[in-house]
């Protein structure tokens, strides 16, 4: 049997404005879900392992899944979506706490705290409390550095807004050509547009990590927009997302990890089309049939040279602040691992495994 395909995504991110959650967009709309399991419990209780095992079983049955990764630990899962069953699982604990909106009828809470040895944990309560406090401190430091990184990133981009540096009219003309090419045969769908907002790239303990390849690999037509920061890529992508919404087309909108108000990629499944920001840190190598568009064609490098020293200084300061942020996120991950070590020996993982098998049987019965 052919193994199912995986789409890797991030429903949340470490950003310049703190932890940014798009977890509400992780599952399909609740009215379209048969079951949505919200998993509760502390660190190290097996939430990610629980979801990985469910996903692995579904994949081995030949069905596709979405794996939603944790931005603070890329190897850990925060959610799984199983489209063919209409089932989703999510880690519903802080900093992305989730509570049921249609309890019982759609959502169901799985409390892995039912399987811990509270007496054993209480012996280490002082150390556990201290580790939790330290995690908060480390993330606050990380977010402060990311905020500084954004300031210098904005300063770098400002060089491209100086008079004569960019031919913005040419960018507008290119945008209109792209819109015409994508939507030339599209009329209004008659439906209200549904936009799903997620991240393809996250700022993690290992630095920026991108899952863009898995997101766009099955898309028939891909536009890859390349160019330096500040040369109009986001402007083009925003126009694509807006036009799709105007036509009532369902879209997946992927946001910038550093500045989540910005758009990095747009996927329009109904049209089999994706428009991709192909610049660092988005690790995507264009394929033969991809349409590659460089916004640097509209850049006057002679004019830019007048601001070159300032831009270079801003970029260096951006990189320094960004690197400092990664250091603190990595330290938070190490601290979180220590925190998990208090919980792991106090968990009944055999009982959790039995529960997982029971839930596996239940969700498979939904397709009968």
């Amino acid at each position: 049997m052919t193994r199912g395909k995986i789409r890797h995504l991030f429903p949340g991110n470490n950003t310049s404005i703190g932890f940014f959650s798009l977890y509400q967009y992780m599952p399909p709309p609740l009215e379209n879900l048969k079951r949505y399991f919200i998993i509760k419990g502390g660190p190290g209780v097996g939430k990610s392992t629980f979801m990985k095992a469910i996903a692995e079983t579904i994949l081995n049955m030949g069905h596709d899944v979405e794996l939603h990764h944790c931005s603070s630990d890329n190897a850990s899962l925060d959610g799984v979506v199983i489209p063919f069953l209409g089932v989703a699982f999510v880690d519903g604990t802080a900093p992305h706490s989730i509570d049921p909106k249609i309890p019982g009828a759609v959502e169901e809470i799985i409390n892995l705290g039912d399987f811990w040895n509270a007496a054993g944990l209480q012996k280490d309560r002082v150390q556990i409390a201290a580790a939790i406090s330290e995690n908060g401190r480390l993330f606050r430091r990380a977010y402060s550095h990311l905020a500084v990184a954004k300031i210098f990133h904005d300063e770098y981009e400002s060089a491209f807004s100086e008079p004569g540096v960019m031919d913005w009219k040419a960018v507008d003309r290119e945008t209109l050509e792209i819109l015409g090419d994508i939507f030339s045969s599209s009329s209004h769908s008659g439906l209200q547009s549904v936009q799903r907002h997620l991240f393809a790239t996250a700022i993690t303990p290992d630095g920026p990590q991108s899952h863009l390849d898995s997101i766009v690999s099955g898309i028939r037509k891909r536009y890859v927009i390349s160019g330096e920061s500040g040369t109009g890529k986001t402007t083009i992508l925003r126009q694509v997302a807006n036009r799709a919404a105007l036509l009532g087309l369902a879209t997946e909108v992927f946001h910038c990890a550093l500045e989540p108000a910005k758009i990095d990629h747009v996927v329009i499944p109904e049209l089999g089309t994706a428009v991709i920001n192909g610049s660092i840190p988005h690790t995507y190598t264009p394929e033969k049939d991809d349409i590659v568009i460089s916004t640097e064609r509209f850049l006057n490098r002679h004019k830019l040279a007048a601001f070159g020293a300032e831009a270079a200084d801003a970029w260096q300061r951006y990189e320094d602040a960004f690197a400092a942020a990664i250091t603190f996120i990595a330290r938070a991950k190490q601290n979180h691992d220590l925190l998990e070590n208090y919980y792991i020996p106090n968990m009944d993982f055999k009982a959790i495994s039995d529960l997982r098998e029971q839930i596996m049987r239940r969700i498979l019965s939904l397709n009968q």
Side-chain angles (χ1 to χ4, degrees):
M1 179 181 293
T2 303
R3 184 174 163 87
K5 295 180 180 178
I6 303 173
R7 293 182 91 210
H8 297 277
L9 311 105
F10 292 100
N13 228 318
N14 300 304
T15 81
S16 60
I17 55 174
F19 181 78
F20 196 87
S21 173
L22 292 171
Y23 281 71
Q24 67 270 33
Y25 295 101
M26 192 203 79
L30 292 181
E31 59 269 22
N32 297 334
L33 275 178
K34 293 179 181 176
R35 212 70 186 153
Y36 187 24
F37 294 93
I38 302 170
I39 306 177
K40 301 285 189 176
V45 301
K47 300 185 296 294
S48 177
T49 301
F50 190 103
M51 290 186 281
K52 284 180 179 178
I54 294 282
E56 191 66 19
T57 299
I58 297 297
L59 287 166
N60 288 334
M61 293 172 63
H63 299 293
D64 299 345
V65 300
E66 288 184 352
L67 301 184
H68 291 256
H69 294 262
C70 171
S71 58
S72 297
D73 180 1
N74 193 30
S76 181
L77 291 185
D78 274 350
V80 170
V81 176
I82 309 170
F84 98 100
L85 286 177
V87 170
F89 294 80
V90 67
D91 178 340
T93 58
H96 39 81
S97 298
I98 298 170
D99 290 310
K101 294 181 179 177
I102 313 177
V106 176
E107 295 127 320
E108 180 176 332
I109 292 176
I110 300 172
N111 184 12
L112 297 188
D114 290 340
F115 302 95
W116 61 34
N117 174 10
L121 291 170
Q122 286 168 5
K123 294 177 183 177
D124 296 316
R125 61 185 180 276
V126 174
Q127 296 93 323
I128 290 172
I132 290 172
S133 177
E134 175 66 358
N135 239 41
R137 186 189 74 83
L138 291 169
F139 273 113
R140 286 193 297 274
R141 293 296 305 277
Y143 297 146
S144 294
H145 283 287
L146 287 176
V148 171
K150 180 187 176 298
I151 290 171
F152 286 113
H153 195 272
D154 289 348
E155 185 176 324
Y156 174 80
E157 288 189 338
S158 70
F160 297 89
S161 298
E162 295 294 338
V165 173
M166 285 291 297
D167 185 348
W168 293 111
K169 290 183 179 179
V171 174
D172 289 342
R173 288 193 294 270
E174 184 70 32
T175 302
L176 288 172
E177 286 187 23
I178 294 170
L179 293 175
D181 193 37
I182 294 173
F183 301 107
S184 59
S185 59
S186 298
S187 57
H188 197 283
S189 67
L191 302 172
Q192 183 176 354
S193 174
V194 176
Q195 288 190 335
R196 189 186 189 200
H197 299 268
L198 292 164
F199 295 98
T201 301
I203 300 172
T204 80
D206 298 318
Q209 298 290 312
S210 176
H211 291 308
L212 184 57
D213 276 344
S214 79
I215 293 169
V216 301
S217 62
I219 302 298
R220 177 176 50 82
K221 191 171 187 179
R222 294 180 290 256
Y223 297 79
V224 183
I225 315 296
S226 65
E228 290 196 46
S229 295
T231 58
K233 300 186 300 296
T234 296
T235 300
I236 294 171
L237 285 153
R238 187 183 301 112
Q239 291 294 336
V240 171
N242 289 344
R243 181 64 62 89
L246 190 64
L247 291 169
L249 297 170
T251 57
E252 293 179 325
V253 179
F254 295 91
H255 292 257
C256 170
L258 181 66
E259 187 177 354
K262 287 186 174 181
I263 296 173
D264 274 342
H265 322 287
V266 178
V267 176
I268 312 170
E270 186 177 332
L271 301 183
T273 298
V275 185
I276 300 163
N277 179 345
S279 300
I280 294 173
H282 313 291
T283 51
Y284 178 79
T285 303
E287 298 182 8
K288 183 181 68 172
D289 294 329
D290 290 348
I291 301 167
V292 180
I293 299 163
S294 174
T295 53
E296 292 188 21
R297 290 185 293 137
F298 315 118
L299 172 62
N300 185 327
R301 291 199 174 275
H302 177 72
K303 296 275 189 179
L304 179 63
F307 311 99
E310 293 178 4
D313 178 68
W315 189 261
Q316 184 60 57
R317 291 172 185 268
Y318 154 72
E319 288 190 327
D320 291 345
F322 193 90
I326 296 300
T327 298
F328 280 105
I329 294 172
R331 286 176 59 187
K333 165 68 168 60
Q334 293 170 355
N335 185 72
H336 188 82
D337 290 346
L338 292 174
L339 184 59
E340 288 185 340
N341 288 336
Y342 291 111
Y343 283 82
I344 291 171
N346 287 294
M347 296 301 300
D348 185 348
F349 289 113
K350 173 62 170 62
I352 292 174
S353 179
D354 292 342
L355 173 64
R356 186 183 66 245
E357 291 177 6
Q358 174 191 336
I359 289 177
M360 191 75 235
R361 290 191 294 270
R362 283 178 54 199
I363 64 174
L364 289 176
S365 71
L366 296 173
N367 200 42
Q368 294 176 354

